[in-house]
Amino acid sequence: MGFKQSHYDYSLFTKQVDGNTVIVLVYMDDLLVTGSNHELLCSTRQEIQNMFKMKDLGELNFFLGIEFSRSSQEMNQKLTSLQYDEHVKNEVSQDDSLLSNPTKYQRLVGRLLYLTMTRPDLSFTAQVLSQFMHYPKQSHTEAALRVLRYIKEAPGLGLLMPSEPTTQLRAYYYSDWGACLETRKSVT
């Protein structure tokens, strides 16, 4: 069929035809077929169906537990607010003892780390929370629960991959990094 196997992910196959690309991702008995040209996609699916018994489920909605959705509008929302941060800072419990059973915290942070594949806005937070996996305190659990509340309030945020080509790079950063005693860099 003319596909090249990726050296980085052995289940990823690509093919170039007249400047167009078709990509096939294989996971167990699931295939994800995508590309830049509709006719090329259709012919690739037909070739696969001729070789293997295959059911075409149509447009992608879920793959490996990740939900895919399409929108013609781009979301642009503020990711945090100073008022909320100040409110939560005052709400942290005075009892900041080590958790007797860190298993629930570890599972929650593990799920947050998995979620960062499609929610890059959570990457920094999940990475900081993961630093306390072995000896989490009550305040770490409260911070992780705050992240869950954020996810619940903003379920539509995630990676936006526009259908039209773009060369624009959009990045976000946390401008108040120096306020956190755990993560700020010491200046000498």
Side-chain angles (χ1 to χ4, degrees):
M1 290 181 64
F3 281 89
K4 290 170 86 175
Q5 188 175 25
S6 171
H7 296 289
Y8 303 105
D9 185 346
Y10 294 118
S11 62
L12 181 69
F13 300 86
T14 59
K15 180 168 122 177
Q16 297 280 330
V17 177
D18 298 328
N20 293 307
T21 305
V22 65
I23 300 167
V24 177
L25 181 63
V26 180
Y27 182 77
M28 305 285 270
D29 61 349
D30 292 329
L31 296 174
L32 175 63
V33 182
T34 187
S36 60
N37 182 295
H38 183 68
E39 289 88 31
L40 185 57
L41 288 176
C42 291
S43 66
T44 301
R45 281 194 294 244
Q46 189 61 49
E47 284 182 64
I48 295 171
Q49 285 176 339
N50 291 340
M51 298 173 86
F52 306 102
K53 184 178 179 181
M54 182 178 112
K55 182 191 246 182
D56 189 347
L57 298 178
E59 281 210 24
L60 179 65
N61 291 318
F62 287 93
F63 189 73
L64 302 180
I66 300 171
E67 179 182 6
F68 293 81
S69 61
R70 289 155 192 80
S71 172
S72 59
Q73 297 179 355
E74 189 171 329
M75 297 183 71
N76 186 12
Q77 296 185 4
K78 193 173 182 181
L79 298 179
T80 186
S81 72
L82 291 175
Q83 295 83 7
Y84 188 73
D85 289 343
E86 288 172 2
H87 172 71
V88 170
K89 191 185 301 181
N90 295 333
E91 296 284 319
V92 174
S93 70
Q94 299 302 318
D95 176 30
D96 197 20
S97 58
L98 287 173
L99 298 178
S100 59
N101 184 3
T103 306
K104 286 184 181 179
Y105 177 82
Q106 292 165 343
R107 286 185 14 224
L108 173 58
V109 173
R111 290 175 178 157
L112 289 175
L113 287 169
Y114 179 74
L115 188 59
T116 61
M117 289 191 310
T118 58
R119 293 288 302 262
D121 55 317
L122 303 176
S123 295
F124 178 76
T125 305
Q127 181 267 331
V128 170
L129 290 173
S130 71
Q131 293 176 1
F132 306 101
M133 292 286 265
H134 296 291
Y135 301 104
K137 294 183 177 181
Q138 183 62 35
S139 60
H140 301 134
T141 301
E142 291 170 8
L145 292 174
R146 177 178 174 209
V147 173
L148 287 182
R149 285 192 297 273
Y150 167 74
I151 293 168
K152 186 176 180 182
E153 291 173 6
L157 291 180
L159 287 178
L160 175 66
M161 294 177 225
S163 58
E164 67 278 345
T166 181
T167 57
Q168 183 181 20
L169 174 66
R170 181 170 291 149
Y172 299 92
Y173 65 94
Y174 184 51
S175 62
D176 193 21
W177 64 269
C180 179
L181 297 175
E182 297 287 338
T183 58
R184 70 179 174 193
K185 309 258 188 273
S186 60
V187 179
T188 55

